[in-house]
Amino acid sequence: QVQLIESGGGLVQAGGSLRLSCAASGRTFESNAMGWFRQAPGKEREFVASISARSYLTYYADSVKGRFSISRDNARNTVYLQMISLKPEDTAVYYCAGRRSTATARGIGEYDYWGQGTQVTVSS
């Protein structure tokens, strides 16, 4: 069973930065494309970013493009989300997700493994 554990969330002022980490268990991490999703209170869970298994490709939601950067370190079984220029509307629980494919994807149903989430709060 694959387990994903997020960390790095917290409270930050608008314009600030945070770096989220997601540590993955298992021996197939290099075969798993990874993604980040977020869910704000009263809203649907939405796609944020995805990265292919070997970091060849990345894909971002329009709302975060240019501000967020997804990366991974396969030697450490870890995926990251570097967030800069944070806005209050970025406030949400952020979830790490993995899929049994090497290719990026943006759909919730295309992911097989999910972390428990980490809270990001951006104050104005």
Side-chain angles (χ1 to χ4, degrees):
Q1 182 184 84
V2 173
Q3 289 192 195
L4 305 175
I5 302 176
E6 302 98 332
S7 62
L11 175 65
V12 64
Q13 291 185 331
S17 302
L18 281 175
R19 189 194 196 199
L20 306 183
S21 297
C22 173
S25 68
R27 308 181 71 173
T28 62
F29 185 72
E30 290 187 1
S31 298
N32 301 134
M34 302 294 294
W36 287 95
F37 293 76
R38 67 187 183 186
Q39 187 166 24
K43 297 184 65 178
E44 298 288 318
R45 189 170 299 187
E46 66 175 356
F47 169 77
V48 175
S50 183
I51 186 167
S52 61
R54 305 299 293 273
S55 300
Y56 297 140
L57 295 173
T58 56
Y59 189 75
Y60 298 93
D62 288 343
S63 59
V64 306
K65 189 175 183 180
R67 299 188 299 119
F68 292 9
S69 179
I70 188 170
S71 62
R72 65 192 294 161
D73 186 343
N74 287 354
R76 303 176 72 169
N77 273 30
T78 303
V79 62
Y80 306 94
L81 185 68
Q82 180 68 56
M83 306 182 292
I84 65 171
S85 301
L86 282 162
K87 307 173 181 179
E89 50 262 47
D90 295 318
T91 295
V93 177
Y94 282 71
Y95 296 91
C96 177
R99 63 192 305 251
R100 295 191 294 267
S101 171
T102 61
T104 58
R106 66 184 300 275
I108 293 173
E110 297 179 279
Y111 286 81
D112 303 292
Y113 316 112
W114 293 86
Q116 79 289 343
T118 185
Q119 177 70 47
V120 172
T121 303
V122 184
S123 63
S124 60

